[in-house]
Amino acid sequence: MTKNDLRIVFMGTPEFAVGTLQALVEGGYNVVAVVTQPDKPVGRHQDTLQPPAVKQYALEHNLPVLQPVKMKDPSFLEELKSYNADLQVVVAFRMLPEVVWDMPRFGTFNVHAALLPQYRGAAPINWAVINGEKQTGVTTFFLDHDIDTGRIIMQEPFEIKDDYNVENVYDGLMHLGASLALKTIDKIIEGDGHVDSLPQEDMIVADTELHHAPKIFKETCRIDWNQTAKNIYDFIRGLSPYPGSWTEMEDSNGKRTVLKVYKTEKTGLKARGDIGTLSTEKNVLYVNTKDELLSLVTVQLSGKRRMEAKDFLNGTRNLSDNKLV
């Protein structure tokens, strides 16, 4: 079997998935069709349709694009089957019904942005950073009935440096995931459609806690200043630059305004006031946490542009009378 013999259907939606699709196309693999989400209404009146990043790339390279609203729609299943795929490759897509993932003769594998069985779920990159992990990675695994539980084919680790935010890890894993997808496909080709894989249960070390990666909502992103400075630091970089962590700034009259926080720095300085209270020193903005002072570096007040602390201090009066809650 060669690259040309193996008919691949690619499934994905965001920019993260484009990295793998691009690697497949530029690597000369036989991508016969692309499946992605329907165009998304955007704009003030939701009257403009924005195509997914994967669709944009696919059309630029003359690849057929399928955008089903429902994955079990008979017309979609018939069209998908017509491409006679040997293998389906999924990156950052949606849950697939068995009738879809079981369709190709060599199965369907997913590229997941974590070292499974750790961080099963929709937001593995965010949660790995939020939890202060020093390492994450990517996994290729065969899809089965339950989310992110299929047999593991290959894994590659990735170091999370202490100053990395989600964007840094996202970019690193996008390229690593693309590389691992190609290695996985090459293994399948070498094995004439068959490749060794391991049940995830066999990879769970005794007494090891499994962390999950559920979908992140607005309320998930609210900062709890009662945590340690280290935990808050990790929480903020785990949500930066998107969707962004937030808090409320309360003035002496009890009026509250939403404040987004995109970057902080640990100071090692012992807290010197009530939790959430602010202080300034030489153009540095500090907030008291459970144990230490945390320096707020990049913030955005509701209705204002994102700015560095120095600029924020210049435009905001009486900050020491405010508190973050």
Side-chain angles (χ1 to χ4, degrees), residues 50-79:
Q50 179 176 316
V54 161
K55 177 183 179 180
Q56 295 179 50
Y57 182 87
L59 293 179
E60 289 169 3
H61 293 81
N62 301 312
L63 297 173
V65 176
L66 289 68
Q67 293 180 278
V69 175
K70 296 182 179 179
M71 299 299 291
K72 291 184 179 180
D73 182 86
S75 60
F76 163 67
L77 294 175
E78 185 177 347
E79 186 177 8

Side-chain angles (χ1 to χ4, degrees), residues 137-273:
V138 287
T139 302
T140 53
F141 69 98
F142 284 115
L143 294 189
D144 63 11
H145 294 92
D146 298 315
I147 296 177
D148 300 337
T149 60
R151 295 175 65 91
I152 290 175
I153 309 167
M154 299 183 75
Q155 291 188 318
E156 288 279 356
F158 178 85
E159 179 188 2
I160 303 177
K161 295 182 180 180
D162 188 62
D163 61 346
Y164 278 7
N165 64 11
V166 163
E167 187 172 42
N168 303 129
V169 183
Y170 182 101
D171 290 344
L173 293 186
M174 180 172 69
H175 294 103
L176 189 62
S179 172
L180 192 66
L182 300 196
K183 291 178 182 178
T184 301
I185 293 170
D186 289 343
K187 270 197 166 190
I188 291 171
I189 292 172
E190 290 168 9
D192 283 326
H194 302 287
V195 64
D196 292 335
S197 59
L198 277 175
Q200 291 192 31
E201 291 74 18
D202 292 357
M203 304 186 71
I204 299 175
V205 179
D207 300 322
T208 298
E209 179 186 0
L210 289 184
H211 297 287
H212 297 284
K215 187 175 181 179
I216 289 175
F217 299 95
K218 180 182 178 181
E219 200 54 40
T220 313
C221 303
R222 183 163 192 158
I223 302 166
D224 179 4
W225 299 105
N226 291 291
Q227 299 288 315
T228 65
K230 171 67 165 64
N231 287 346
I232 296 170
Y233 171 81
D234 291 335
F235 181 82
I236 290 169
R237 67 191 180 102
L239 295 167
S240 181
Y242 182 83
S245 59
W246 63 277
T247 185
E248 287 184 305
M249 188 166 71
E250 183 179 86
D251 65 18
S252 57
N253 295 317
K255 182 181 177 181
R256 294 187 177 188
T257 308
V258 172
L259 180 74
K260 280 202 163 188
V261 184
Y262 293 97
K263 185 178 180 180
T264 63
E265 287 181 357
K266 291 173 289 183
T267 67
L269 300 173
K270 188 175 180 180
R272 52 194 183 204

